[in-house]
Amino acid sequence: MKSLAEQRLASHVEEFNSYDDRPPSDGPFDGSNNLGFLRANIPFFISSNDTIDKIYNYRWWMISKHLKHYNDPLDKKSYWVVTEFFGVKPWASLSGAITCPAGHQFYDVRWLRDSQYLRSYADYFMRGSASRLQQRENENFLTYMSRPESHHFSSWMIDGVDAFLRVHPDEAWREDILPYLEQHQQVWDSLFTVKRTGAKTDGMYKILDLYDGMEFSLSAVLGLIASDGAYANYTEDSWRDLYLGWGTTERAAASVQASAYPTAYRKGYPDFYLVRPSVNSYAYGNLQALATLYGRSNSASPASRTKAALYQKRADELRNKVLGVLWNNDDVFFNTYSAGDNEFGVRDYEARVRESVGYTPWYFGLIPRDGRRPYASAWDMFGSKDGFYNHKGMTTAERLHPYYNEQAYAWNGRGWPFQNSVVYKAYANYLRDYKEQVTHADRSLLYDYIEKLAVMHDFAEPNIGEWYIPSDGERFGGEKDYFHSTFPDIIIQDLLGFIPSHDDIFILDPLLPDDTWEYFYLGNLRYHGHDIDIIWKRDWDVGRDGNQSRLCIWVDGKLVSVSTELNRRLVISLGR
């Protein structure tokens, strides 16, 4: 199976390298050497689903093009960075790397056998020049808040470091980078929290939806409509002309309000901060990661235990605020508020619209397990045609909302792979960690969404872009070979259930429905310095009748576990 997977990879890479309409590589891995790099580094995968096999290999090929070796003229150091767009965009760091997709990039790139790439990438943003250099202002700088390149967009990179260290433990590097992770969080605390005593959202995290990577959201629309003064021009009748894609901001810039309140807009984009489930969940994930990493630091010395307790307390406090403020019992969903300290526009206003960002708390385990039941019903909308389910994929706003629109370049309906990556992991976590009994229908819904995402890549000539039309879209639109989302991690952890740990164990808890594939192989996977191979087959011997289903796990070439059930949670100790 390993040989077959490697042969399939080679065949696919040869095909991908033949495409003549793709951006050239941002770094040293191109058609001359990318097969060797991928053979040496990626977990091999093959299954009875040819489409998912091909897209899995395509996504690794695409990732190799985004690994860039950057000689920093400010640090006088060399870093590996990971780009999103090809080339250096005006909204990027000087290296070309962009913080917006970095959390997703950390989750995919952590599975490379060679850990140097992600370690160096984290160094760049946490303690390299990107942590100190202010984001350059230009025509694309649509805010009045100066901030480091490392904080230009929201991200969950501290959580990403924690996720990386669960695959590739490195105690010395962890100890060295921990103070810089802490400093990174302190910038979020300083610049992006609501500071108004008595406000409902006081102390919570805020952001412009643009810099949450989700420009033109419906929650912002509702808040702008509810505002007066500087934003009185946004009404139920006018908002589409002022806040529905980049061409509309020019009209807002020419408005009477923009002239009367010049600092309420930046080039027509409203300076209207939101307290969103997304950015608050990212902050929770970062705080929880600091608590975890300090809890393991220096054999839990007194100083480290104090830090771990501090960050655990802060994570718990933020969790309580998210549950107490953003959760709406009537909507049975996590909603967005406008920031309680906005200089312009309505404050502490709840936008009563279900958006896919409302599922982000499950991505980071924010929901308390002992009090999980009131929140479970939010997932009813995930599989509902009135909610987020559509023919070709997941929407980013509930379909029943009167402002739903999947045609505009916005986040009020149109599908975005960035959000697929968030919500699919959130749903997988919900099934594994919160649902008392996982049914075949639950697993089938996750698989249905993942298969739709794979099909959208286009089997004939795979590509990953920025967006898609959930109702009838046949392929992605926008930038080609665009690293703004995950796919290898969706297969490895979310679907096949390889769950890494800081301890010398791993959990295998597949959510793949047991009647969907005939077989799969996942292997050549480097974990805690060991090589892991996993095979599930329904028919091991074509000459025998009857059910032969077996899930087999090898560690360093030694068979360590055999299960007759695919959907069974296994805990594998590396010390066996």
Side-chain angles (χ1 to χ4, degrees):
M1 293 293 287
K2 182 175 183 178
S3 178
L4 287 173
E6 191 172 2
Q7 290 171 31
R8 183 75 60 87
L9 171 67
S11 175
H12 285 157
V13 170
E14 181 180 10
E15 176 185 335
F16 305 151
N17 285 335
S18 73
Y19 299 159
D20 58 8
D21 64 341
R22 298 306 172 88
S25 174
D26 252 347
F29 302 117
D30 56 26
S32 68
N33 60 2
N34 52 20
L35 178 57
F37 169 80
L38 294 170
R39 275 177 166 157
N41 275 285
I42 72 168
F44 296 154
F45 169 73
I46 193 171
S47 74
S48 55
N49 186 306
D50 291 343
T51 298
I52 290 181
D53 290 1
K54 188 172 184 178
I55 302 312
Y56 176 89
N57 287 335
Y58 159 74
R59 291 296 293 257
W60 278 119
W61 174 83
M62 177 276 295
I63 289 170
S64 74
K65 293 171 60 178
H66 284 284
L67 295 175
K68 179 179 181 179
H69 201 244
Y70 177 61
N71 294 313
D72 195 318
L74 299 172
D75 273 3
K76 309 300 182 186
K77 295 179 180 178
S78 294
Y79 295 98
W80 283 102
V81 299
V82 184
T83 59
E84 172 192 22
F85 291 87
F86 291 96
V88 180
K89 300 298 184 181
W91 55 92
S93 66
L94 290 181
S95 73
I98 301 171
T99 54
C100 183
H104 287 323
Q105 292 170 342
F106 276 39
Y107 269 78
D108 266 0
V109 177
R110 66 177 174 155
W111 297 109
L112 291 177
R113 290 174 65 88
D114 190 338
S115 63
Q116 68 164 319
Y117 302 102
L118 195 51
R119 213 170 38 240
S120 184
Y121 189 34
D123 283 339
Y124 172 70
F125 271 129
M126 295 297 160
R127 54 184 164 185
S129 67
S131 69
R132 302 181 300 275
L133 184 66
Q134 294 296 292
Q135 182 71 32
R136 64 197 186 282
E137 297 195 27
N138 51 50
E139 287 301 308
N140 295 97
F141 192 84
L142 302 181
T143 176
Y144 291 97
M145 182 186 289
S146 295
R147 67 283 205 104
E149 291 182 333
S150 55
H151 292 74
H152 190 45
F153 292 89
S154 62
S155 76
W156 55 102
M157 285 190 285
I158 302 174
D159 169 83
V161 169
D162 178 63
F164 163 65
L165 287 169
R166 291 170 189 262
V167 176
H168 296 291
D170 187 332
E171 185 174 343
W173 182 77
R174 182 193 69 204
E175 296 302 301
D176 198 33
I177 202 171
L178 249 175
Y180 299 97
L181 301 182
E182 193 172 15
Q183 290 174 18
H184 182 85
Q185 184 58 37
Q186 288 167 356
V187 176
W188 287 118
D189 301 340
S190 173
L191 297 180
F192 293 94
T193 53
V194 175
K195 299 177 178 67
R196 180 168 166 257
T197 302
K200 195 170 185 179
T201 54
D202 185 34
M204 299 184 76
Y205 291 81
K206 64 180 182 178
I207 196 121
L208 301 179
D209 57 358
L210 166 61
Y211 290 108
D212 211 16
M214 303 174 203
E215 55 266 54
F216 309 111
S217 71
L218 275 188
S219 50
V221 165
L222 297 180
L224 290 167
I225 291 172
S227 299
D228 54 19
Y231 302 135
N233 50 340
Y234 296 97
T235 68
E236 292 182 2
D237 297 324
S238 70
W239 70 268
R240 293 173 183 84
D241 295 327
L242 303 171
Y243 195 78
L244 189 60
W246 290 113
T248 63
T249 55
E250 296 174 1
R251 301 188 191 109
S255 68
V256 171
Q257 286 76 17
S259 178
Y261 301 92
T263 58
Y265 297 83
R266 188 75 183 257
K267 303 180 182 71
Y269 198 88
D271 202 58
F272 185 63
Y273 281 81
L274 302 175
V275 174
R276 312 185 82 211
S278 49
V279 70
N280 281 275
S281 297
Y282 303 164
Y284 174 83
N286 284 343
L287 292 167
Q288 189 64 61
L290 285 169
T292 298
L293 295 175
Y294 269 116
R296 305 187 71 85
S297 174
N298 291 327
S299 302
S301 67
S304 296
R305 285 198 299 269
T306 299
K307 293 260 190 173
L310 167 67
Y311 285 110
Q312 187 62 62
K313 180 174 182 291
R314 289 194 53 201
D316 292 343
E317 290 172 348
L318 181 57
R319 162 191 273 171
N320 291 336
K321 288 177 180 177
V322 170
L323 299 178
V325 176
L326 303 188
W327 177 257
N328 185 298
N329 278 318
D330 294 330
D331 297 341
V332 197
F333 216 74
F334 287 100
N335 291 335
T336 291
Y337 274 69
S338 62
D341 61 355
N342 273 334
E343 183 178 357
F344 303 100
V346 66
R347 297 174 173 178
D348 280 347
Y349 171 82
E350 182 182 12
R352 297 287 297 275
V353 55
R354 297 181 185 91
E355 298 173 303
S356 57
V357 293
Y359 289 124
T360 318
W362 282 274
Y363 184 107
F364 298 96
L366 183 149
I367 311 300
R369 295 184 186 182
D370 57 356
R372 62 189 181 272
R373 288 188 178 178
Y375 308 100
S377 296
W379 288 102
D380 293 345
M381 298 297 286
F382 184 55
S384 169
K385 294 179 181 178
D386 293 336
F388 299 94
Y389 189 87
N390 213 329
H391 301 292
K392 297 293 185 175
M394 187 190 80
T395 69
T396 48
E398 57 180 320
R399 294 176 64 186
L400 275 185
H401 196 277
Y403 294 165
Y404 176 88
N405 185 329
E406 62 180 38
Q407 298 303 319
Y409 187 92
W411 292 71
N412 53 11
R414 180 174 288 203
W416 298 82
F418 181 102
Q419 274 300 96
N420 294 96
S421 301
V422 171
V423 177
Y424 297 174
K425 184 173 291 297
Y427 184 58
N429 289 348
Y430 162 69
L431 296 183
R432 289 194 180 99
D433 300 335
Y434 296 98
K435 203 164 189 294
E436 293 179 3
Q437 183 175 0
V438 180
T439 67
H440 185 271
D442 295 329
R443 296 186 181 94
S444 296
L445 179 60
L446 176 64
Y447 183 77
D448 176 65
Y449 269 120
I450 293 172
E451 189 170 46
K452 280 183 167 68
L453 180 63
V455 168
M456 187 65 67
H457 283 73
D458 184 6
F459 182 85
E461 192 167 311
N463 171 57
I464 177 62
E466 300 174 59
W467 51 265
Y468 59 91
I469 305 300
S471 61
D472 58 6
E474 295 297 326
R475 56 188 58 84
F476 294 111
E479 187 89 0
K480 290 190 174 183
D481 298 338
Y482 178 65
F483 196 4
H484 192 59
S485 59
T486 63
F487 194 82
D489 186 71
I490 288 174
I491 300 302
I492 295 168
Q493 178 163 335
D494 303 331
L495 183 63
L496 300 186
F498 189 99
I499 303 170
S501 169
H502 286 298
D503 298 320
D504 278 337
I505 64 167
F506 65 86
I507 293 169
L508 194 68
D509 191 3
L511 290 173
L512 177 72
D514 61 6
D515 61 352
T516 304
W517 291 350
E518 293 295 324
Y519 64 86
F520 73 81
Y521 164 79
L522 175 68
N524 194 47
L525 192 157
R526 192 69 174 168
Y527 176 75
H528 285 231
H530 297 273
D531 290 325
I532 312 298
D533 296 279
I534 301 162
I535 296 177
W536 178 76
K537 289 182 72 174
R538 190 178 297 165
D539 189 357
W540 287 82
D541 184 347
V542 294
R544 289 176 50 202
D545 295 329
N547 183 5
Q548 302 174 44
S549 294
R550 293 289 186 277
L551 178 67
C552 299
I553 302 171
W554 289 262
V555 176
D556 296 329
K558 179 181 179 182
L559 184 64
V560 298
S561 180
V562 178
S563 173
T564 58
E565 300 174 53
L566 174 61
N567 300 129
R568 177 186 173 195
R569 185 181 179 92
L570 301 173
V571 180
I572 307 300
S573 172
L574 298 176
R576 289 179 56 179

